[in-house]
């Protein structure tokens, strides 16, 4: 089994090493894929978007690509378009390469011929398994490989430190929609625009633009998984940051300058600023607190090639906060009370989109991103450990069928929102006074051993048994 293109970050084995972006996991996808049972996948054909627009090029000049698979489109059919970070763009890290190191990006990420086919997710909205994914299993599936390093928002080229950087995301996105229309995306159809991490951020920020490229009779909705990257103003008041601005605001400012972004200012790149402006129906599925936001936005710094981000390495500063993020069961109760819980509450406060029948939210407290391409079944690679399997058995049905809030699974909440029903779910916070459950194993301390309950601070029972990474 090839793991999901949106969930393969979980394959990273070194838990004390730098937690790279999702792009790093994508590059190592084939090396960490194992399975014990056969899975249904969509084998999509990869197409060069330069056939639609010769100027639809990635940051480094390679042709932009889109994968298309699943059932042949029919009038009124459902479509799923996933925006995925890929080598050649790597979220916004190509910008960091240029900004921080002055490196030759074209040399750092060489142009290589794309494969003829691409396997899509085994779970989540891309799965063709109607047990795992009853709402979208018969949808025509497309996956746009984000390679502009500017969240598909750029509209210009720039020569920076002698390197030509092609910020052509809007052109790539327009070519992709033209390609899908030619392939059968027509009036009366429904389109789910989605993505994970920065792919989800791009889905939200580009939702109205995508809708503007399609006939008004095509219904567009946008689903962002772990896409919320809000600007938490209180971070600096409770931590001893050496750089109060951090790398992420600087990267957004730089993007706004060199990419001619289709937003008024770089402030519009912060999700809590942009959400109220989006007219397309939205849903956010969000881990609180997001491990990426915790470690790789707030606690990170510029790194080395090829990925440019060093997430909190727990050796230099904020060691206690790092422990709360990486090994939550070992977090000090006072930090849970004064750091983690305020952060969890801030996610809800920063989710500033209007709520109602058109928009949905599923915010959960589990130590796990919305890795709905993962199953965490017994025997799946190193996750979970056998002890976890025995204590918390799971069906082979994907994470989004396993995590619940108020008795509703992540998958059901997404389906309800897609069907026009109200779907707004906010989980409780952690409990700083919680007592670990009694186990037969005796006390479990240290890392990377994983207690079967993951963290005794969790109050949501469906969080149990998921591993640290």
């Amino acid at each position: 089994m090839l793991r999901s293109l949106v969930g393969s970050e979980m394959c990273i084995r070194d838990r004390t090493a730098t937690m790279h972006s999702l792009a790093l996991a994508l590059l190592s996808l084939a090396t960490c894929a194992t399975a014990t049972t056969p899975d249904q996948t969509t084998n999509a054909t990869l197409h060069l978007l330069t056939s639609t627009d010769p100027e639809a090029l990635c940051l480094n000049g390679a042709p932009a690509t889109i994968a298309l698979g699943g059932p042949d489109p029919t009038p009124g059919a459902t479509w799923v378009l996933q925006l995925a970070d890929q080598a050649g763009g790597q979220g916004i890290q190509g910008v960091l390469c240029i900004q921080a190191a002055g490196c030759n990006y074209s040399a750092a990420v060489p142009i290589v011929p794309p494969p003829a086919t691409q396997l899509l997710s085994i779970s989540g909205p891309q799965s063709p398994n109607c047990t795992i994914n009853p709402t979208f299993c018969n949808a025509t599936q497309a996956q746009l490989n984000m390679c502009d390093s500017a969240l598909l928002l750029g509209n210009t080229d720039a020569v920076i430190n002698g390197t030509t950087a092609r910020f052509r995301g809007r052109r790539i996105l327009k070519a992709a929609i033209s390609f899908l229309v030619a392939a059968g995306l027509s009036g009366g159809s429904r389109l789910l625009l989605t993505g994970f991490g920065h792919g989800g951020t791009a889905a939200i920020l580009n939702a109205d633009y995508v809708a503007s490229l399609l006939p008004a009779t095509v219904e567009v909705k946008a689903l962002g998984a772990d896409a919320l990257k809000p600007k938490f103003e209180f971070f600096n008041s409770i931590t001893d940051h050496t750089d109060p601005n951090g790398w992420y605001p600087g990267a957004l400012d730089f993007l706004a300058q060199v990419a001619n972004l289709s937003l008024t200012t770089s402030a519009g790149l912060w999700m809590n600023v942009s959400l109220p402006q989006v007219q397309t129906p939205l849903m956010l599925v969000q881990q609180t607190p997001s491990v990426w936001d915790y470690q790789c936005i707030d606690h990170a710094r510029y790194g080395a090639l090829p990925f440019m981000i060093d997430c909190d390495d727990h050796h230099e500063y904020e060691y206690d906060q790092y422990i709360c993020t990486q090994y939550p069961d070992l977090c000090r109760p006072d930090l849970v009370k004064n750091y983690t819980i305020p952060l969890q509450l801030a996610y809800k406060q920063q989710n500033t989109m209007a709520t109602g029948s058109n928009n949905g939210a599923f915010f959960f407290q589990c130590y796990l991103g919305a890795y709905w391409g993962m199953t965490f079944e017994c025997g799946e690679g190193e996750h979970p450990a056998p002890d976890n399997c025995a204590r918390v058995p799971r069906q082979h049905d994907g994470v989004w069928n396993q995590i619940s809030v108020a008795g509703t699974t992540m998958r059901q909440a997404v389906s309800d929102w897609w069907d026009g029903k109200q779907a707004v779910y906010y989980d409780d916070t952690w409990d700083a006074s919680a007592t670990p459950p009694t186990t037969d194993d005796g006390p479990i301390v240290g890392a990377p051993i994983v207690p079967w309950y993951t963290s005794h601070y969790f109050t949501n029972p469906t969080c149990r048994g998921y591993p640290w990474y």
Side-chain angles (χ1 to χ4, degrees):
M1 172 189 74
L2 283 182
R3 296 192 180 213
S4 162
L5 295 178
V6 296
S8 58
E9 186 176 357
M10 300 297 294
C11 295
I12 299 175
R13 294 176 179 271
D14 187 352
R15 294 164 178 80
T16 61
T18 297
M19 176 184 171
H20 295 307
S21 74
L22 184 60
L24 172 58
L26 292 167
L27 291 178
S28 61
L29 180 63
T31 63
C32 60
T34 60
T36 57
T37 58
D39 297 298
Q40 292 178 258
T41 61
T42 297
N43 193 357
T45 302
L46 210 63
H47 301 268
L48 300 180
L49 287 176
T50 47
S51 299
T52 301
D53 178 357
E55 298 302 317
L57 300 175
C58 301
L59 183 73
N60 65 347
T65 61
I66 190 170
L68 184 65
D72 292 333
T74 57
T78 296
W79 293 64
V80 175
L81 173 57
Q82 173 133 331
L83 307 181
D85 283 350
Q86 291 288 288
Q90 301 170 9
I92 62 173
Q93 297 200 52
V95 168
L96 303 180
C97 175
I98 298 167
Q99 178 190 16
C103 64
N104 186 318
Y105 189 79
S106 296
V109 184
I111 298 175
V112 295
T117 60
Q118 185 169 338
L119 290 178
L120 304 185
S121 175
I122 65 168
S123 185
Q126 288 186 312
S127 172
N129 186 322
C130 290
T131 299
I132 293 174
N133 179 31
T135 302
F136 303 103
C137 61
N138 292 315
T140 301
Q141 297 285 346
Q143 181 161 299
L144 178 60
N145 300 323
M146 292 171 53
C147 64
D148 70 319
S149 198
L151 302 176
L152 294 174
L153 294 166
N155 192 32
T156 190
D157 293 353
V159 178
I160 306 169
N161 298 321
T163 298
T164 298
R166 299 164 182 84
F167 298 101
R168 300 184 185 182
R170 279 295 165 99
R171 192 156 193 163
I172 292 170
L173 196 52
K174 185 176 182 179
I177 297 301
S178 296
F179 172 85
L180 295 181
V181 169
L185 177 57
S186 59
S189 298
R190 304 184 72 196
L191 173 65
L192 176 69
L193 181 66
T194 187
F196 179 87
H198 279 117
T201 306
I204 300 300
L205 295 176
N206 286 290
D208 288 348
Y209 178 65
V210 169
S212 74
L213 298 174
L214 291 165
T217 53
V218 175
E219 181 183 8
V220 179
K221 290 189 172 185
L223 170 65
D226 281 354
L228 186 60
K229 311 299 179 194
K231 191 172 185 179
F232 296 123
E233 305 292 352
F234 72 89
F235 262 134
N236 293 331
S237 66
I238 58 177
T239 62
D240 55 347
H241 273 249
T242 55
D243 180 3
N245 295 317
W247 71 269
Y248 197 67
L252 298 188
D253 288 342
F254 187 76
L255 276 176
Q257 295 171 23
V258 301
N260 188 25
L261 294 176
S262 302
L263 298 166
T264 304
T265 67
S266 62
L269 289 169
W270 291 105
M271 291 291 284
N272 51 306
V273 176
S274 59
L275 280 173
Q277 314 303 320
V278 181
Q279 301 301 307
T280 302
L282 306 176
M283 182 165 188
L284 294 178
V285 177
Q286 184 71 41
Q287 174 194 11
T288 57
S290 165
V291 175
W292 169 262
D293 293 352
Y294 235 150
Q295 291 196 44
C296 302
I297 289 182
D298 188 60
H299 295 180
R301 60 202 70 88
Y302 292 118
L305 286 172
F307 298 107
M308 297 308 301
I309 293 300
D310 278 342
C311 301
D312 192 334
D313 61 8
H314 73 266
H315 289 305
E316 297 182 19
Y317 67 106
E318 294 177 354
Y319 178 79
D320 290 332
Q321 285 83 0
Y322 167 84
I323 291 298
C324 293
T325 309
Q326 191 73 7
Y327 309 112
D329 194 52
L330 308 181
C331 187
R332 296 199 328 253
D334 63 302
L335 282 176
V336 172
K337 178 181 178 180
N338 298 315
Y339 185 73
T340 303
I341 291 177
L343 177 57
Q344 290 179 306
L345 294 173
Y347 270 94
K348 181 178 179 179
Q349 296 164 359
Q350 297 287 331
N351 182 24
T352 52
M353 65 181 179
T355 58
S357 59
N358 290 330
N359 293 320
F362 187 92
F363 284 40
F364 59 97
Q365 62 171 278
C366 307
Y367 180 74
L368 186 73
Y371 295 111
W372 48 41
M374 300 292 289
T375 61
F376 291 91
E377 64 164 337
C378 292
E380 184 185 31
E382 65 175 326
H383 303 299
D387 182 64
N388 295 10
C389 285
R391 295 182 179 279
V392 191
R394 289 191 176 85
Q395 299 296 317
H396 189 71
D397 58 0
V399 165
W400 77 338
N401 285 300
Q402 297 167 4
I403 293 178
S404 298
V405 174
T408 299
T409 65
M410 184 187 299
R411 199 276 307 162
Q412 185 63 56
V414 171
S415 295
D416 287 346
W417 162 77
W418 179 253
D419 292 338
K421 302 174 185 177
Q422 185 171 10
V424 178
Y425 296 90
Y426 292 104
D427 209 348
D428 295 330
T429 63
W430 293 5
D431 182 356
S433 63
T435 301
T438 302
T439 74
D440 298 331
D441 306 321
I444 302 175
V445 296
I449 298 172
V450 184
W452 68 270
Y453 48 84
T454 308
S455 174
H456 64 280
Y457 298 116
F458 294 168
T459 59
N460 183 336
T462 66
C463 295
R464 295 186 305 168
Y466 288 109
W468 299 324
Y469 40 98

